[in-house]
Amino acid sequence: MRTKLVAGNWKLHKTVAEARALVEELSVRLRGLGGRRAEVAVMPPFTALWAVREACSAAGLQLGAQDVHWEEQGAFTGEVSAKMLRDVGCQYVIVGHSERRAMFGDTPENVGKKAAAVLGAGLVPIICVGETLAERERGETMAVVRAQLEAAVAPVTAGDAPTIVIAYEPVWAIGTGKNAETYQAQEVHEHIRGLLRSAFGEGVTDAIRILYGGSVKPSNAGDLMSAPDIDGALVGGASLSADSFAGIVAAAENRP
Ligand code: 13P
């Protein structure tokens, strides 16, 4: 059995004070759930990572970053390395988010380099893949996801593979309020698991978690995560309030 992972991608939101307050509130809400079975992670902006590190660890929350550069150090103005992210307490790093691909020049090859750098620093990459609405309408979903996934996992060794996390985030479902139907997501997750099986073999693939992302909220999270290949959620908007994020965690655990 794969432990479910619920991860909150805060994107470009929260000052240090706001981030601290959200983690505090979240820790209270999650305590209210009693013993937790799902793993929970938050991904604040870089500027708030250090400030929330201790509160996260006290609350049993994992910490992650939203992006990384693949080089360890050097003349790369504005960039942050995986080693630096480990240094501020991160366990996870998102790579290849569709917003980075669409607006900040992430190529399939660069996403692979980022995933390898994250693993090299002993952290876990959350590798995002997903099609646009136009690609879905042209019937290209499986091919697009395949190309993105294969490029991203090309530098990943079979030894590292069991720890990686994949996030299927259809671009048309991100921030739109219109989530993929559970059967649509499951179909793509099953395809992803098949591709991973070809790359890494059966046993390794059984351990890899595949998250769904795109307008996840407390009202749809339970249904989505009941599908056999949906091992958790990568949450944007609904991770910005402790109420809705805790509601999603509760749904991941089948609790009222
Ligand atoms: P929303 O949950 O706001 O749709 O964002 C999803 C996402 O992009 C998480 O990485």
Side-chain angles (χ1 to χ4, degrees):
M1 259 311 274
R2 295 177 287 269
T3 305
K4 292 244 187 315
L5 170 62
V6 179
N9 172 10
W10 294 4
K11 306 190 181 183
L12 184 54
H13 294 281
K14 308 288 180 190
T15 61
V16 166
E18 290 164 350
R20 282 204 176 110
L22 178 52
V23 168
E24 283 307 326
E25 209 186 324
L26 196 53
S27 99
V28 172
R29 297 296 161 99
L30 295 179
R31 246 197 325 271
L33 292 179
R36 228 172 39 228
R37 295 181 293 266
E39 202 185 316
V40 184
V42 292
M43 280 93 182
F46 291 137
T47 46
L49 288 170
W50 180 255
V52 300
R53 156 201 176 116
E54 278 176 20
C56 281
S57 123
L61 292 167
Q62 306 280 94
L63 188 62
Q66 301 171 19
D67 192 28
V68 67
H69 187 61
W70 56 85
E71 295 288 348
E72 193 176 294
Q73 58 182 9
F76 304 101
T77 301
E79 296 296 332
V80 167
S81 73
K83 185 177 164 191
M84 293 167 180
L85 294 176
R86 188 185 56 209
D87 190 42
V88 291
C90 288
Q91 290 90 27
Y92 288 101
V93 185
I94 297 174
V95 299
H97 192 281
S98 62
E99 287 150 15
R100 305 282 334 160
R101 292 181 194 260
M103 293 185 274
F104 304 102
D106 259 6
T107 64
E109 194 204 355
N110 289 353
V111 174
K113 282 164 45 178
K114 290 180 178 190
V118 170
L119 287 164
L123 306 180
V124 174
I126 299 182
I127 299 169
C128 299
V129 297
E131 82 288 2
T132 62
L133 184 59
E135 288 163 343
R136 175 163 280 267
E137 286 175 347
R138 289 198 299 266
E140 295 170 4
T141 298
M142 299 304 182
V144 166
V145 165
R146 177 184 191 136
Q148 291 176 347
L149 186 77
E150 287 181 347
V153 301
V156 176
T157 64
D160 280 337
T163 66
I164 67 171
V165 176
I166 309 295
Y168 169 56
E169 299 206 305
V171 176
W172 48 271
I174 295 178
T176 59
K178 185 184 175 335
N179 58 286
E181 298 293 333
T182 301
Y183 80 90
Q184 291 175 311
Q186 167 57 26
E187 208 168 69
V188 181
H189 282 231
E190 203 180 327
H191 173 64
I192 291 171
R193 196 159 321 270
L195 295 167
L196 293 169
R197 209 172 278 125
S198 313
F200 301 116
E202 184 84 35
V204 166
T205 299
D206 278 349
I208 300 178
R209 289 178 292 185
I210 309 175
L211 315 183
Y212 166 78
S215 298
V216 175
K217 8 181 202 285
S219 59
N220 60 22
D223 195 55
L224 282 158
M225 287 187 257
S226 67
D229 289 298
I230 303 185
D231 306 311
L234 184 54
V235 185
S239 71
L240 297 174
S241 111
D243 243 1
S244 50
F245 194 57
I248 293 169
V249 175
E253 306 195 331
N254 277 322
R255 303 205 195 178

